[in-house]
Amino acid sequence: MYRPQIKVVDCTIRDGGLMNKSRFSFETVRNVYKSVCAAGIDIVELGYRNSKQMFSIDEYGPWRFCDEENLKKIVDGINPVRNGTSCPVRVNSNRACHDISNRVKSDKTKIAIMQDAHKAVAEDILPKEKSVVDVIRVATYVKDIDKAIKLANNATEKGYEATINIMSISVALERELDEALQQIEKETKISACYIVDSFGALYSEDIDFFIDKFKKYLKNKEVGVHCHNHQQLGFANTIAGIIRGANYLDGTLYGLGRAAGNCPLELLISFLKNPKFDIRPLLEVISRDILPLSSEITWGYSIPYMITGILNRHPDVAMKLLEKNSDEKAKKDFLKFYEELTEEEVED
Amino acid sequence: MYRPQIKVVDCTIRDGGLMNKSRFSFETVRNVYKSVCAAGIDIVELGYRNSKQMFSIDEYGPWRFCDEENLKKIVDGINPVRNGTSCPVRVNSNRACHDISNRVKSDKTKIAIMQDAHKAVAEDILPKEKSVVDVIRVATYVKDIDKAIKLANNATEKGYEATINIMSISVALERELDEALQQIEKETKISACYIVDSFGALYSEDIDFFIDKFKKYLKNKEVGVHCHNHQQLGFANTIAGIIRGANYLDGTLYGLGRAAGNCPLELLISFLKNPKFDIRPLLEVISRDILPLSSEITWGYSIPYMITGILNRHPDVAMKLLEKNSDEKAKKDFLKFYEELTEEEVED
């Protein structure tokens, strides 16, 4: 599938940050950034710019706030097009080095940050010319759509590209969603609006349904998909999105992300046949930086996440069950976990 | 998706046996059997009946041969319909017990074994009335189709249901495949013919392509899909198969199977809305019997399997890389592994 309009977004640090309170080392973030640039990824999301009034800077790491000086430390000397120099990325083989430097000159990986509609403020966004950021992605529940539109308009007015990402869409009420989409079309200048399957509950037929609905209302905006892997459908649903016309596609390295994780970026760019992509820097950074994280962070398919996925529930109950200090026996009693969740449902 | 013609096949012990030389304990096999019966699975495959002339009985466990006396030990006292008694399966909650005993009375889980066309002999199959087996599944490469047809006809003549499962279909030559399908239609009385994605290389569009082709030639046979998870598409491709008309669907508990494993059975029956299925016995057996196996057997998505999947290669090179005694550093150098495989390709 080679469609030039497609934009691939790496959200490893942002979505993965939900599993470690955004406490990645500067070295990890810099290596991820370097590698996705070298791989030709269109956009890289380096974290949240959420409010320090709402998140403790003692409890959360730097990528929950993405201060400009921290972002500058990450990009400094790396982004080749930004500085007009050739690519300084080194990978193991001569052949790879050659290919990459040829490629990167003609492309630029844009930098994105995310603002949660209900946890961020407009004032934290500088005018574009004072920032290394290119894209502001506003994450929202349908109910917070007015806050999201305010933040998105703040971003576009200050010179950024902006997107609105509608979270937990598998439990959105249809009438409210329809109204939100009409507002987005009328009141914003965002480039794309995302279907976010936070619960990993959607099947491909649901992706089709939502894309058709988004396209119906959003005549001048692209549709994006951000899929989770609770039912091992993160990649498959992203493909379903591509086939149905989504052009903004989120993925993360080795699927690192909340709970069962995301659509793996390495699979996504293998599927997309665009010759501008190079999988090799991604393989290298997964080996060196992402795989070692699995000793501290546990993500990927497991039965508790599968259960929240099939029940269309937020994964937080499964994340709590699987926490490091939780009861080891309870972690493995899948039937009990399932019956607790379904009995709750009966009581509703 | 509730389509009464659909048959769900559990292949945990057979496909998982490719990862441990079919050396599961009798207790494990009996628990798997008990649980899939209680869950309402249509068919359970308990291993291979391959030739003792071609496999050493010292090296391989009992489920590579599935001697009748061993199968009898597994099913003895369990299969409720076979004996006309109520379900003796116990699960933790009273509610589950009640549901299960109500359900199982009206269903029967058939027992299948597999014969490899090039590693099995017709004489190892007893007349049906002397066997606990119901279904003989013949696995074959396209090139061995004449051997497969001979074994399948041997099975149907002796009173069994039979299927032919075409392995490594992602590298089959189309002209040879077309001819094989024509032969199968004309020369056999099998119930179903399977698309087997041994390399985990197919995308949903490929599943559509193969199902259309199979349906074109096989007017009186069902089409089956057996998917591997090298690109995290095992479940998604099974759904794609269902949508396109496949009625024989393979899965395994927690995806246990060769390399990246298979379509997880627990996901598949959650997707299928047939009320005869009950996920709870599956959750219980995964907790108690399957999860503990992960200390001895490693299966599931990992980058080396992903690489063989995207390159449409047999996973054996990745399995070798990931073997217990292999070099730990090499196991994690994904770029090197990728470049070795792609450089080989260039030399071809």
Side-chain angles (χ1 to χ4, degrees):
Chain A
M1 174 70 67
Y2 178 11
R3 192 161 68 213
Q5 300 93 318
I6 283 177
K7 305 285 178 208
V8 173
V9 183
D10 171 72
C11 343
T12 307
I13 299 301
R14 202 271 310 155
D15 209 308
L18 295 169
M19 297 304 279
N20 71 347
K21 300 192 171 177
S22 305
R23 286 174 175 156
F24 295 102
S25 73
F26 278 77
E27 191 193 356
T28 299
V29 179
R30 204 168 144 87
N31 283 342
V32 166
Y33 176 66
K34 215 189 283 192
S35 303
V36 299
C37 286
I41 304 304
D42 300 285
I43 299 171
V44 58
E45 189 181 44
L46 294 177
Y48 287 95
R49 186 163 291 160
N50 276 342
S51 169
K52 288 177 185 170
Q53 311 307 316
M54 300 184 219
F55 288 87
S56 151
I57 56 169
D58 298 325
E59 196 179 343
Y60 290 88
W63 318 110
R64 193 60 59 116
F65 311 105
C66 283
D67 294 340
E68 288 288 337
E69 61 268 30
N70 286 333
L71 292 178
K72 278 182 191 137
K73 282 183 202 161
I74 297 306
V75 305
D76 189 40
I78 292 178
N79 202 328
V81 177
R82 193 176 294 273
N83 303 318
T85 61
S86 72
C87 172
V89 175
R90 254 187 286 281
V91 292
N92 281 338
S93 91
N94 289 330
R95 195 184 61 180
C97 236
H98 178 68
D99 289 350
I100 291 166
S101 51
N102 272 354
R103 193 202 46 70
V104 173
K105 279 179 193 158
S106 62
D107 277 315
K108 179 189 171 302
T109 300
K110 289 184 182 177
I111 294 168
I113 53 175
M114 181 165 272
Q115 288 202 299
D116 276 314
H118 56 302
K119 295 177 190 164
V121 293
E123 300 72 49
D124 284 345
I125 303 297
L126 299 177
K128 168 77 190 82
E129 58 277 13
K130 295 187 179 168
S131 172
V132 298
V133 174
D134 303 287
V135 185
I136 310 284
R137 308 207 316 160
V138 181
T140 186
Y141 301 110
V142 171
K143 71 179 174 61
D144 292 319
I145 195 66
D146 294 307
K147 291 178 189 164
I149 288 174
K150 194 180 150 212
L151 286 177
N153 287 343
N154 173 66
T156 50
E157 281 156 19
K158 286 180 178 164
Y160 298 88
E161 178 184 339
T163 70
I164 291 179
N165 301 20
I166 302 182
M167 299 186 290
S168 302
I169 203 158
S170 59
V171 290
L173 298 180
E174 194 160 351
R175 193 167 51 82
E176 291 179 10
L177 177 59
D178 288 353
E179 200 181 313
L181 293 171
Q182 284 167 293
Q183 276 185 266
I184 289 169
E185 175 68 359
K186 215 166 109 186
E187 300 170 21
T188 77
K189 291 178 177 161
I190 60 170
S191 56
C193 186
Y194 269 81
I195 296 156
V196 181
D197 182 16
S198 309
F199 299 178
L202 302 182
Y203 295 113
S204 62
E205 62 204 49
D206 306 312
I207 295 283
D208 292 348
F209 169 83
F210 283 116
I211 290 185
D212 290 351
K213 179 188 285 298
F214 275 47
K215 282 183 163 290
K216 180 179 153 198
Y217 290 114
L218 306 174
K219 297 295 178 202
N220 305 301
K221 280 118 181 136
E222 294 285 1
V223 178
V225 285
H226 177 94
C227 300
H228 277 271
N229 216 24
H230 300 71
Q231 295 194 71
Q232 295 195 359
L233 293 173
F235 177 40
N237 282 346
T238 305
I239 296 178
I242 295 167
I243 293 170
R244 203 72 167 197
N247 279 333
Y248 273 64
L249 312 173
D250 286 9
T252 68
L253 292 161
Y254 204 43
L256 175 57
R258 177 145 66 181
N262 297 76
C263 168
L265 191 65
E266 65 276 12
L267 287 172
L268 180 56
I269 73 158
S270 303
F271 175 77
L272 295 165
K273 303 294 182 245
N274 191 329
K276 77 173 181 172
F277 295 126
D278 183 353
I279 197 172
R280 288 167 296 159
L282 303 187
L283 296 177
E284 195 182 29
V285 75
I286 290 170
S287 284
R288 189 189 50 214
D289 296 279
I290 304 298
L291 202 59
L293 293 173
S294 59
S295 60
E296 303 153 35
I297 312 174
T298 308
W299 75 94
Y301 180 73
S302 74
I303 299 292
Y305 295 139
M306 181 278 286
I307 290 171
T308 60
I310 65 171
L311 298 177
N312 196 11
R313 290 277 302 250
H314 195 288
D316 55 2
V317 279
M319 287 168 70
K320 205 166 150 44
L321 178 80
L322 296 174
E323 268 174 5
K324 261 196 174 160
N325 303 324
S326 312
D327 179 58
E328 284 303 317
K329 197 160 161 252
K331 275 183 194 176
K332 291 173 187 162
D333 192 342
F334 304 140
L335 181 60
K336 184 159 169 268
F337 181 69
Y338 176 82
E339 295 201 324
E340 277 168 11
L341 291 193
T342 48
E343 271 158 23
E344 276 174 32
E345 282 186 346
V346 172
E347 282 165 12
D348 276 350
Chain B
M1 174 70 66
Y2 178 11
R3 192 161 69 213
Q5 301 91 318
I6 283 177
K7 304 284 178 210
V8 173
V9 183
D10 170 72
C11 343
T12 306
I13 299 301
R14 202 273 307 157
D15 209 307
L18 294 168
M19 297 304 279
N20 72 346
K21 301 194 170 175
S22 306
R23 286 175 176 156
F24 294 102
S25 72
F26 277 76
E27 191 192 356
T28 299
V29 179
R30 205 168 143 86
N31 283 341
V32 166
Y33 176 66
K34 216 190 284 192
S35 304
V36 299
C37 285
I41 304 304
D42 299 286
I43 299 170
V44 58
E45 188 181 46
L46 294 177
Y48 287 96
R49 185 163 291 159
N50 276 342
S51 168
K52 288 178 184 168
Q53 312 306 317
M54 300 184 218
F55 289 87
S56 151
I57 57 168
D58 297 325
E59 195 179 344
Y60 291 88
W63 317 111
R64 193 60 58 115
F65 310 105
C66 283
D67 293 340
E68 289 288 336
E69 62 268 29
N70 286 332
L71 292 178
K72 278 182 192 138
K73 283 184 200 160
I74 297 307
V75 305
D76 190 40
I78 292 178
N79 203 327
V81 177
R82 195 176 292 272
N83 304 318
T85 61
S86 71
C87 171
V89 174
R90 255 189 284 280
V91 294
N92 281 336
S93 90
N94 288 330
R95 195 184 62 180
C97 237
H98 178 68
D99 290 349
I100 290 165
S101 52
N102 272 354
R103 195 200 45 67
V104 173
K105 280 179 194 159
S106 61
D107 277 316
K108 180 190 171 300
T109 300
K110 289 184 183 176
I111 294 168
I113 53 176
M114 181 166 272
Q115 289 202 298
D116 276 314
H118 55 303
K119 294 177 190 165
V121 293
E123 300 71 50
D124 284 344
I125 303 296
L126 299 177
K128 168 78 190 80
E129 58 275 13
K130 294 188 178 168
S131 171
V132 299
V133 174
D134 303 288
V135 186
I136 309 285
R137 308 206 317 159
V138 181
T140 186
Y141 301 110
V142 171
K143 70 180 175 58
D144 292 320
I145 195 66
D146 294 306
K147 290 179 190 164
I149 289 174
K150 194 181 150 213
L151 286 177
N153 287 343
N154 173 66
T156 49
E157 281 157 20
K158 285 180 177 164
Y160 298 87
E161 178 185 340
T163 71
I164 291 179
N165 300 20
I166 302 181
M167 300 186 290
S168 302
I169 202 157
S170 59
V171 291
L173 298 181
E174 195 162 351
R175 192 166 52 81
E176 291 180 9
L177 177 60
D178 288 353
E179 200 182 313
L181 292 171
Q182 285 167 291
Q183 275 185 268
I184 289 169
E185 175 68 359
K186 216 166 107 186
E187 300 170 21
T188 78
K189 290 178 178 161
I190 60 169
S191 55
C193 185
Y194 269 82
I195 295 156
V196 181
D197 182 17
S198 309
F199 299 178
L202 302 182
Y203 295 113
S204 62
E205 63 206 48
D206 306 312
I207 295 284
D208 292 348
F209 169 82
F210 283 116
I211 290 185
D212 291 350
K213 180 187 286 297
F214 275 48
K215 281 182 162 291
K216 181 178 151 199
Y217 291 115
L218 306 174
K219 296 296 178 201
N220 303 302
K221 279 118 182 139
E222 294 285 2
V223 178
V225 286
H226 176 95
C227 299
H228 276 272
N229 216 23
H230 300 71
Q231 295 195 71
Q232 296 195 358
L233 293 172
F235 177 40
N237 282 346
T238 305
I239 296 177
I242 295 167
I243 293 170
R244 204 72 168 197
N247 279 334
Y248 274 63
L249 311 173
D250 286 9
T252 68
L253 291 161
Y254 204 44
L256 173 58
R258 176 144 69 181
N262 297 77
C263 168
L265 191 66
E266 65 277 11
L267 287 171
L268 180 56
I269 74 158
S270 303
F271 174 78
L272 295 165
K273 303 292 182 245
N274 190 331
K276 77 174 181 172
F277 294 127
D278 183 353
I279 197 173
R280 288 168 297 160
L282 303 186
L283 296 176
E284 196 183 28
V285 74
I286 290 170
S287 284
R288 188 189 50 214
D289 297 279
I290 305 298
L291 201 61
L293 292 172
S294 59
S295 61
E296 303 153 35
I297 311 175
T298 309
W299 74 95
Y301 181 72
S302 76
I303 300 291
Y305 294 140
M306 183 278 287
I307 290 171
T308 59
I310 65 172
L311 298 177
N312 197 10
R313 291 276 302 249
H314 195 288
D316 55 1
V317 280
M319 287 168 69
K320 206 167 149 42
L321 178 80
L322 296 175
E323 268 174 6
K324 261 194 175 159
N325 303 325
S326 313
D327 180 59
E328 284 302 317
K329 199 163 161 249
K331 275 183 196 177
K332 292 172 187 162
D333 193 342
F334 304 139
L335 182 59
K336 185 160 169 268
F337 180 69
Y338 176 82
E339 295 201 324
E340 278 168 10
L341 290 194
T342 48
E343 270 157 23
E344 276 173 32
E345 282 187 346
V346 171
E347 283 165 11
D348 277 349

